[in-house]
Amino acid sequence: MSARINMATVDTAAYKAMMGLEGYLQTISLNHIQKELIKIRASQINGCAFCLDMHTKDAMKYGETPQRIYLLNAWREALDLYTEEEQVLLAMTEEITLISQKGLTEETYYKAKQLFDEGQIAQIIMAIVTINAWNRIAISTHLPIAK
């Protein structure tokens, strides 16, 4: 694959806006591992190699285990490895990433309301929306994987 445009230099205003979202996500109540699980799961669904490479490495820097990363794609079959909060985050990530299939279901939203307040739910949705945007940018521009 040949590299395409570099969004950071071609459309600096849009890139700056995306970085603003990233700055905001640094302030939310989710911990580093929770944020990385969202990023990895959405990137798996979207098939974004650049983001998978980045966020699996970041997750490990924050103390995530290789086993949980390896099994993330099959988390529903390995529930004992993920907390109840993480399971809800992952379900939300899948349903929002695959929005055209059924969207965020009432069942998942209800579970989220049992564990998170409205502000936290809004933050989770923004974290999911943001990584989906980054996936689309990286895939569309053939962003090369760091070596």
Side-chain angles (χ1 to χ4, degrees):
M1 255 185 333
S2 61
R4 295 180 176 170
I5 63 169
N6 180 330
M7 290 292 286
T9 57
V10 173
D11 192 344
T12 55
Y15 192 79
K16 185 177 178 182
M18 286 297 300
M19 291 307 293
L21 279 172
E22 279 302 315
Y24 159 75
L25 293 176
Q26 297 305 310
T27 70
I28 68 174
S29 61
L30 296 178
N31 66 44
H32 291 296
I33 295 293
Q34 291 170 326
K35 288 187 262 189
E36 294 304 325
L37 290 175
I38 289 169
K39 292 174 182 180
I40 295 167
R41 187 67 192 111
S43 300
Q44 287 175 330
I45 293 166
N46 291 322
C48 184
F50 179 86
C51 293
L52 279 167
D53 181 63
M54 175 190 294
H55 296 298
T56 54
K57 289 175 182 173
D58 288 348
M60 291 183 70
K61 287 178 195 171
Y62 292 127
E64 185 55 270
T65 67
Q67 182 185 32
R68 283 175 27 112
I69 292 172
Y70 300 150
L71 294 173
L72 191 56
N73 198 40
W75 66 270
R76 292 177 194 272
E77 294 181 32
L79 293 177
D80 59 325
L81 293 179
Y82 303 94
T83 67
E84 186 178 12
E85 290 84 3
E86 290 169 340
Q87 292 172 33
V88 171
L89 292 174
L90 294 169
M92 289 178 71
T93 300
E94 291 176 355
E95 292 176 9
I96 293 170
T97 299
L98 299 167
I99 197 85
S100 67
Q101 290 186 4
K102 59 185 170 186
L104 182 57
T105 63
E106 289 297 321
E107 177 185 357
T108 300
Y109 184 74
Y110 177 78
K111 288 178 184 176
K113 283 180 61 173
Q114 303 307 303
L115 299 170
F116 304 104
D117 64 34
E118 286 185 347
Q120 291 170 313
I121 292 171
Q123 293 171 354
I124 294 163
I125 291 170
M126 287 308 300
I128 296 165
V129 167
T130 302
I131 188 57
N132 272 279
W134 282 123
N135 288 166
R136 282 149 178 78
I137 291 167
I139 293 168
S140 299
T141 63
H142 293 177
L143 203 57
I145 298 168
K147 297 198 181 195

